[in-house]
Amino acid sequence: MKEIVLDHAINQQGNSTGDSMEWKELNIPGYERVVEVIEPAVGLHVFIAIHNTSLGPALGGTRIYPYTNHKDALDDALRLAKAMTYKSAIAEDGLGGGKAVIIADSKTQKTEKLLLAFGEVVDRLQGSYIAAEDVGTSPTDMTVVRRKTKYVAALPTHLSSGDPSRFTAYGVFRGICAVAQSLWGSPKIQGRTIAIQGLGNVGAKLARLLFWNGANLVVCDVDPAQTGSLAKLYGAKIAPPQQFETTPCDIFAPCALGGVINEKTIPQLQCAAIAGAANNQLAHADLGQILQKKNILYAPDYVVNSGGIINAAQEFEPGGYDPKTARDKVYNIYNILLSIFETSKKNAKPTSLVAEELAKHNLDKKIGKRTGSLHFH
Ligand code: NAI
C-alpha cells in the first residue's frame, strides 16, 4: 500500500476546515480510490473506499464505529465497499460500490462539527462517492452532512428516499421466502422457525413481517429491553446473544454485525439456511464452500440485503423518488435468489461463488450501467 499525502493540495481548495485537514491517497490494488482524512480539530478520522464506479457513482453507507486500530477500520471500509459494488451490480441499479468508515464512538464522539467536516470531505470527491446512513449514523445525521454536500442519499425529506431499512427488511423477507421455496417447495413460511440476531432498524421490521406471515420467531439483541419488548409483541422466544448462532431453527437471519459465520460457529449451526441483513456475514469467502458441504443453504448477504440500496437508487431518477417502483424491484430479490440457488445446485458451486460470478459478469458486460446523470434533490 502506497500513501501519497495531499494535504497542501486540498487546502488550496479553500475549504473551511483549514490547514489542519490531513488528506492521504492510499494506493490499494483493485480499488479505484481510497482516501484517509484526518481533521484533529473536530476528531474526524475517516477512510473512504471507492471500489468500482464502472456502472455508476459509488453509493455506500457511512459507518461510525470505535475501531481499536486503523487497520481494522481500513479493512472494514475495503470489504464493505467491494460488497457494495457486487450488491449494486446484481441489483442493476446503476450505482457503483463505496463505503465510508469513521473511527469514533457514535454515542459519545459524533458531533455536528465532525459530521460537517465529513460532509466537506465527501464534497471534495465531487460525486464519485455518495454517502448514506449505516451502523452508527442515522438519516438525521445525514441531513447535517447534506449542509456541506449534495452527494448524500436516503434523507428523511419528502424528495429523498428516506430510511432504507424498511426496504432492506422487505428484501430479506423475500429472500427468506426464496429459501423456503428452494428447500421446501413453497415460499410460505408459516410454521417455520426463524432466528433473528439483532433487533435494530432492519431486524425489528423483519420480525414484524415474519410474524404476520405465520413464522415462529427466536430473537436476540445485546439490548435486553429491545429483546423483551419485541418478544412480547410477536410471541417470540428469547435466546441469549452469546452463541445465538447455535439456536436450533429452520432459518438463521443475522441482522447485527458481520463475520458471524466463521470457523468457530459453522460446526455449531443448527439451521437449514442462512438469510439475513448483516453485511459480510462470512468471515472469509471460502466459508461458502463449507456451508455447501454441510448442506446449509446460504443466501448471499449482498443479494438478500439489497433492498435498501435499490430503494435509494430510485431517488436519483429524473421523475423523483417513487416507493412503488422501489417496492416492485425489491420484490424481485426472490427471483434473483432462486436463480442463484438453481445455478448453485446445477453446477455444484457454493451460492456465494455463484453470486460473485454474477456480479462480475454484470460488471464486465456493463449490465445495468447508468446512462443518464443522477438527479440530486
Ligand atoms: P442497527 O444498528 O439499527 O441494528 C443492529 C442491532 O444489532 C442493534 O439493535 C444492536 O443492539 C444489535 N446487536 C449488535 N451486536 C449484537 C450481537 N452481538 N448480538 C445481538 N444483537 C446485536 O442496524 P440495522 O440498520 O438494523 O442493520 C443491521 C445490519 O444490516 C448491519 O450489519 C447493517 O450493515 C446491515 N444492513 C443494513 C441496511 C439498512 O437498510 N439499515 C442495508 C443493508 C445492510
Side-chain angles (χ1 to χ4, degrees):
M1 184 179 85
K2 200 172 127 213
E3 292 181 359
I4 310 159
V5 180
L6 283 179
D7 50 342
H8 177 65
I10 292 307
N11 290 337
Q12 282 178 338
Q13 293 179 10
N15 282 291
S16 60
T17 38
D19 293 341
S20 60
M21 194 177 269
E22 221 187 280
W23 185 293
K24 288 181 197 161
E25 298 279 340
L26 310 181
N27 187 353
I28 296 184
Y31 287 76
E32 285 181 14
R33 191 173 183 189
V34 182
V35 297
E36 176 182 14
V37 184
I38 302 174
E39 170 54 288
V42 298
L44 176 70
H45 188 166
V46 60
F47 290 97
I48 300 181
I50 298 171
H51 176 248
N52 188 308
T53 58
S54 59
L55 300 179
L59 194 154
T62 302
R63 182 164 291 195
I64 300 188
Y65 191 79
Y67 296 90
T68 47
N69 64 69
H70 299 173
K71 186 181 174 303
D72 285 355
L74 175 60
D75 286 350
D76 225 11
L78 296 178
R79 286 186 322 132
L80 290 162
K82 191 172 177 182
M84 288 308 296
T85 297
Y86 290 172
K87 189 185 302 199
S88 275
I90 291 182
E92 298 181 28
D93 61 11
L95 294 168
K99 200 84 182 180
V101 158
I102 297 174
I103 306 173
D105 185 329
S106 64
K107 293 201 172 75
T108 56
Q109 295 169 315
K110 186 173 64 176
T111 61
E112 185 181 57
K113 282 186 179 162
L114 180 142
L115 292 170
L116 290 172
F118 171 67
E120 284 189 25
V121 175
V122 172
D123 202 54
R124 290 173 192 184
L125 294 171
Q126 298 178 323
S128 54
Y129 168 69
I130 302 164
E133 62 142 29
D134 192 54
V135 173
T137 56
S138 65
T140 312
D141 295 333
M142 289 299 124
T143 60
V144 179
V145 176
R146 177 71 176 83
R147 278 155 54 191
K148 289 288 180 183
T149 182
K150 67 176 180 178
Y151 303 117
V152 187
L155 296 166
T157 60
H158 71 286
L159 291 171
S160 187
S161 59
D163 180 356
S165 65
R166 64 203 200 279
F167 282 85
T168 305
Y170 182 57
V172 176
F173 172 74
R174 291 290 296 154
I176 285 174
C177 295
V179 164
Q181 172 65 42
S182 178
L183 288 182
W184 305 302
S186 161
K188 293 211 169 82
I189 51 157
Q190 192 159 24
R192 301 284 171 199
T193 300
I194 298 169
I196 309 177
Q197 180 183 50
L199 305 170
N201 284 318
V202 180
K205 293 179 182 84
L206 175 65
R208 185 171 191 269
L209 289 165
L210 294 171
F211 171 78
W212 287 111
N213 281 276
N216 300 318
L217 301 180
V218 187
V219 296
C220 87
D221 196 288
V222 284
D223 175 354
Q226 173 68 349
T227 313
S229 65
L230 200 124
K232 192 172 172 211
L233 270 183
Y234 303 130
K237 284 193 185 145
I238 297 175
Q242 306 77 15
Q243 299 217 314
F244 186 76
E245 296 85 359
T246 65
T247 305
C249 59
D250 292 309
I251 300 174
F252 170 43
C255 295
L257 293 176
V260 290
I261 309 300
N262 53 50
E263 270 95 355
K264 199 173 137 227
T265 55
I266 287 184
Q268 303 174 328
L269 291 171
Q270 294 195 61
C271 57
I274 301 168
N279 284 308
N280 295 340
Q281 290 166 27
L282 304 185
H284 57 83
D286 299 345
L287 295 174
Q289 195 150 20
I290 301 180
L291 287 174
Q292 188 196 22
K293 280 198 185 127
K294 272 187 71 91
N295 239 353
I296 294 176
L297 182 61
Y298 172 63
D301 46 15
Y302 52 78
V303 182
V304 81
N305 74 11
S306 59
I309 192 84
I310 291 170
N311 183 54
Q314 280 305 307
E315 74 181 61
F316 304 119
E317 295 303 315
Y321 174 62
D322 174 13
K324 285 185 275 183
T325 311
R327 180 194 56 196
D328 295 347
K329 288 190 97 176
V330 175
Y331 186 83
N332 193 43
I333 288 174
Y334 175 91
N335 292 318
I336 297 173
L337 276 170
L338 272 190
S339 116
I340 289 173
F341 295 155
E342 272 160 30
T343 308
S344 158
K345 264 188 228 159
K346 201 169 95 195
N347 302 336
K349 275 187 188 172
T351 52
S352 51
L353 184 59
V354 174
E356 192 178 325
E357 286 175 356
L358 174 61
K360 286 181 173 162
H361 171 82
N362 286 1
L363 285 161
D364 281 354
K365 304 279 178 228
K366 303 277 184 282
I367 293 170
K369 184 175 161 57
R370 184 167 293 275
T371 45
S373 54
L374 276 74
H375 296 255
F376 289 93
H377 305 288

